[in-house]
Amino acid sequence: MTEFLQQLINGLAFGSILALIALGYTMVYGILRFINFAHGDVFMIGAFAGYYLTPRVAAFLPTPSIWSALVVMAGSMAICAALGILIERFAYRPLRQSPKLAALITSIGISLFLEYGGQNVFGAAPKPFPKLIPQYSVGAGGLSVTSNQIIVLAVTVALLVILRFIVLKTKTGMAMRALSFNPEGAALMGVNINVIISFTFGLGSALAAAAGILFAVLYPAVDPLMGIMPGLKAFCAAVLGGIGNLPGAALGGLIIGTVETFVAAYISSTYRNAIAFAVLILILLIKPSGLLGKKDIEKV
Amino acid sequence: MNGIKKYLRRAKSFSLSAIERAGNSPKITLLATVLACLVVSLFEKHIQTYWLYVSYDIGVNIILAVSLNLINGYTGQFSLGHAGFMAVGAYTAAVITNQFSSFSPVLAAVVFPLALVAGGLLAAVAGLIVGIPTLRLRGDYLAILTLGFGEIIVVVLQNMDAVGGARGYQVFHGWTNLFWAFGIAAVAIYMIVALVHSTYGRGFIVVQDDEIAAAAVGINPVKYKVTAFVIGAFFAGIAGGLYAHSKQYLAPDGFGYMKSIEIVVMVILGGMSNTPGVVLAAILLTLLPEGLRSLQDVERVPGIATEYPLSWIGNTRMIIYSLLLVVLMLTRPQGLFTIKK
């Protein structure tokens, strides 16, 4: 039972990181109906931003501490939000009227660019991530929870609450929902589509950056290709929950993270990377539009 | 002046009529191409090894791109797991030929094609398994599902100790040559084009255009979609076999999502359901990284006196490749070789 609870906590921590990445996929999909393959690499850039910001922040703030961690995370989120907006402006916006596949290939190009560019600029070898937050270990009855895991869960919950507030309670959020419901209609009602799309990319990329920092805190190493696998798994999570659906993405991330951790612990750790896909395929075969997705009615 | 113009006109009409004649008798053209491949492959020893292997890559990539074009282009599905089928074919063919240690080239000529076909058939079975979910899924859901299947195949191969697992698998025989690589590429092009242009094959295009209309006129979209997956996977498996016997070493990681993406890029850059364009794109995208790599050794630009090494191009070739991809898509979203409708 202790083992079970232990793995559950590990799984939830990993799953919440996937959930944060998956939200970015699902938001962009909900609005532009295309898969942004570069999202996993924005996550990687977020982690690297943290890697380079930490020593600079340490110059004027005691590190490791909560405050320096907050400053680093905010800085990294701002950098990635800017990056996401830039990518959308220069790579995706010119293709908005083109077939969706053209935008998809462009996003793959951007993804390769960030990966290979990262290898050239940061170096291909993994780097140890500096200690950002003081780490404690809480043990009770054989159960050991690190403060990092609790922080990951807490930050994720906080970000989800903020996101929910933005999407449901603010005017911008209402515009986002209108846009995903009907782009032409939203434009006719005075929604500035370009601004809202930029905002969505910024928001999604900031969440990916936060996920990158949390990931690096939990598994303290960064390398330029670290975004590929979490990116694919998060994409699975987004589809699993029903792509375009925000609670679905969070739920999908938690499910995939937990199931993967359990399989790695109890069955075989070498099959770890196949689990996300296997879960996804099983669920899609039973419920083709994802767990919380709406069924598209095909009109003639 | 007039004479030159007349000559040019005549040359143009001659070359056009040659293409037309090739189009009118595709079987003879196919036969001639395969024979030409056979003749050229007899002189393989005189070609630089490096370019020989690049040519094998071109043949393999043509087969992969043309077969994916049947699924993604003509039938309008979106598969992101083509490298998985390739892996199935590669490992199957390699396991079969590795059973034979050494024997006469005549026997090799019999075993090798049989091993390739066996790899193709097993890949086709995988294609059938992947194709069945197309009953219920479409668009992005199908894309992620095929991607998932591809990744699962990689993980399964990594865990199969019989074929070396994650350490990779040694292939004993380097039997791929120009004849097999380009002969099979020619056959694949011929068969897929002939299939799509046959009365039966028009169904693929109808399914791509409008599934509901297709179903309404009595064409079963599911049957066509699954058929496309099976045939596409078959050729991908054969390409995998050729790949295995040219590289002589197989690593499961090499068949992951990146390889599938590479093939998808060829199809989209060539222009969906435009077979000549896809073939050209496959050749171009194989040569591009190699060409950039060869700039690595250039010490000075011809015509410029001061030394200006171009090695930075070689070192950043993948960055250049990815940027070119973005620029090409931004300037020609309909594909490089497609005339805008």
Side-chain angles (χ1 to χ4, degrees):
Chain A
M1 192 60 202
T2 332
E3 165 82 1
F4 177 84
L5 282 177
Q6 181 72 58
Q7 296 301 341
L8 186 66
I9 292 165
N10 295 350
L12 285 179
F14 180 56
S16 57
I17 292 174
L18 289 185
L20 285 179
I21 312 175
L23 284 169
Y25 276 113
T26 227
M27 274 197 287
V28 167
Y29 188 89
I31 285 184
L32 290 182
R33 300 265 175 270
F34 104 99
I35 306 163
N36 178 14
F37 266 100
H39 195 64
D41 300 290
V42 173
F43 158 85
M44 175 273 289
I45 297 285
F48 266 98
Y51 173 81
Y52 286 106
L53 281 178
T54 308
R56 279 162 191 69
V57 172
F60 58 90
L61 271 177
T63 310
S65 73
I66 300 279
W67 300 114
S68 66
L70 280 179
V71 171
V72 167
M73 184 172 268
S76 159
M77 285 169 84
I79 290 173
C80 281
L83 178 71
I85 290 169
L86 276 179
I87 292 175
E88 192 276 326
R89 176 66 193 83
F90 291 106
Y92 304 152
R93 191 175 294 179
L95 287 170
R96 212 174 279 163
Q97 306 305 326
S98 309
K100 289 286 168 278
L101 279 177
L104 183 95
I105 295 297
T106 310
S107 75
I108 290 169
I110 296 287
S111 155
L112 293 177
F113 176 69
L114 292 177
E115 282 159 20
Y116 294 121
Q119 284 186 334
N120 263 44
V121 176
F122 310 135
K127 291 183 169 54
F129 195 76
K131 220 167 166 220
L132 200 54
I133 312 172
Q135 190 175 341
Y136 307 101
S137 198
V138 188
L143 197 69
S144 121
V145 184
T146 63
S147 56
N148 285 349
Q149 287 174 322
I150 296 171
I151 286 170
V152 166
L153 285 172
V155 172
T156 305
V157 170
L159 286 173
L160 288 183
V161 170
I162 296 173
L163 181 72
R164 193 179 156 78
F165 174 80
I166 292 176
V167 172
L168 292 182
K169 304 284 179 198
T170 63
K171 226 174 165 183
T172 321
M174 193 196 268
M176 281 167 69
R177 282 181 288 144
L179 192 54
S180 93
F181 191 68
N182 182 347
E184 284 86 16
L188 287 174
M189 294 302 122
V191 173
N192 187 339
I193 289 189
N194 285 336
V195 171
I196 296 300
I197 290 178
S198 289
F199 179 77
T200 309
F201 266 86
L203 195 62
S205 304
L207 287 178
I213 299 276
L214 293 178
F215 190 82
V217 165
L218 215 52
Y219 313 95
V222 286
D223 75 275
L225 301 183
M226 67 184 274
I228 298 180
M229 260 301 153
L232 285 182
K233 285 175 191 166
F235 179 35
C236 280
V239 176
L240 180 67
I243 195 155
N245 182 308
L246 293 182
L251 181 67
L254 289 177
I255 290 177
I256 285 193
T258 318
V259 173
E260 188 185 309
T261 311
F262 272 115
V263 169
Y266 287 110
I267 301 172
S268 155
S269 60
T270 45
Y271 278 98
R272 180 178 195 125
N273 282 340
I275 297 312
F277 302 109
V279 172
L280 175 80
I281 289 170
L282 278 180
I283 292 197
L284 282 190
L285 286 181
I286 299 162
K287 201 164 181 314
S289 50
L291 285 177
L292 303 182
K294 281 195 301 275
K295 199 170 166 36
D296 271 342
I297 300 162
E298 216 170 320
K299 293 173 196 150
V300 180
Chain B
M1 212 40 205
N2 253 345
I4 296 171
K5 264 188 193 158
K6 205 166 145 193
Y7 175 74
L8 276 178
R9 204 160 40 231
R10 205 188 283 164
K12 198 174 159 194
S13 73
F14 175 75
S15 62
L16 274 181
S17 69
I19 292 172
E20 262 166 32
R21 260 179 291 157
N24 285 338
S25 50
K27 276 181 195 135
I28 294 170
T29 316
L30 173 70
L31 201 65
T33 317
V34 173
L35 276 179
C37 292
L38 183 62
V39 173
V40 173
S41 74
L42 294 178
F43 297 96
E44 243 174 48
K45 285 189 195 71
H46 303 281
I47 305 172
Q48 257 184 30
T49 325
Y50 171 71
W51 288 112
L52 204 58
Y53 280 90
V54 172
S55 324
Y56 298 159
D57 282 354
I58 291 179
V60 168
N61 282 340
I62 289 177
I63 302 174
L64 288 171
V66 168
S67 59
L68 184 67
N69 191 26
L70 178 67
I71 304 172
N72 284 20
Y74 289 117
T75 320
Q77 301 306 297
F78 190 44
S79 167
L80 268 177
H82 215 52
F85 302 138
M86 185 190 171
V88 172
Y91 274 88
T92 309
V95 165
I96 291 175
T97 60
N98 271 5
Q99 303 305 315
F100 303 88
S101 45
S102 67
F103 47 90
S104 67
V106 180
L107 203 55
V110 180
V111 173
F112 185 43
L114 287 179
L116 288 181
V117 169
L121 288 177
L122 211 60
V125 172
L128 184 67
I129 297 169
V130 179
I132 287 172
T134 55
L135 287 164
R136 301 190 67 180
L137 298 174
R138 57 195 70 210
D140 304 299
Y141 288 89
L142 183 65
I144 186 70
L145 184 120
T146 52
L147 195 160
F149 264 110
E151 288 297 314
I152 288 177
I153 288 176
V154 170
V155 173
V156 168
L157 285 174
Q158 278 171 344
N159 284 288
M160 265 166 95
D161 279 330
V163 291
R167 275 169 290 124
Y169 187 52
Q170 193 78 35
V171 186
F172 299 143
H173 308 286
W175 280 338
T176 300
N177 60 19
L178 288 177
F179 168 66
W180 292 118
F182 286 92
I184 294 177
V187 172
I189 295 172
Y190 169 77
M191 283 178 72
I192 286 171
V193 172
L195 175 69
V196 172
H197 285 79
S198 68
T199 318
Y200 173 82
R202 288 285 157 190
F204 292 109
I205 298 164
V206 178
V207 169
Q208 177 216 337
D209 274 349
D210 192 335
E211 253 176 64
I212 295 174
V217 294
I219 285 168
N220 183 353
V222 170
K223 206 177 86 190
Y224 275 92
K225 287 196 253 176
V226 175
T227 311
F229 264 101
V230 170
I231 296 176
F234 174 75
F235 281 110
I238 289 189
L242 287 169
Y243 174 88
H245 293 85
S246 109
K247 302 283 185 224
Q248 291 191 262
Y249 171 74
L250 298 173
D253 295 347
F255 299 104
Y257 141 87
M258 293 299 258
K259 181 69 191 169
S260 297
I261 293 280
E262 211 183 296
I263 311 169
V264 171
V265 167
M266 287 171 191
V267 172
I268 293 182
L269 218 55
M272 306 274 266
S273 44
N274 169 5
T275 303
V278 167
V279 172
L280 278 176
I283 299 173
L284 198 71
L285 285 178
T286 318
L287 287 177
L288 186 68
E290 298 301 332
L292 290 174
R293 191 208 306 272
S294 68
L295 287 178
Q296 215 158 1
D297 309 321
V298 177
E299 284 302 320
R300 61 175 65 217
V301 183
I304 297 174
T306 49
E307 198 144 297
Y308 184 70
L310 290 179
S311 52
W312 61 273
I313 297 183
N315 296 334
T316 52
R317 69 174 198 284
M318 291 319 286
I319 302 179
I320 298 177
Y321 171 83
S322 56
L323 275 183
L324 269 180
L325 198 62
V326 173
V327 172
L328 282 176
M329 270 336 333
L330 288 180
T331 46
R332 287 194 68 82
Q334 74 276 26
L336 267 186
F337 306 106
T338 305
I339 299 150
K340 209 168 188 171
K341 277 171 203 158

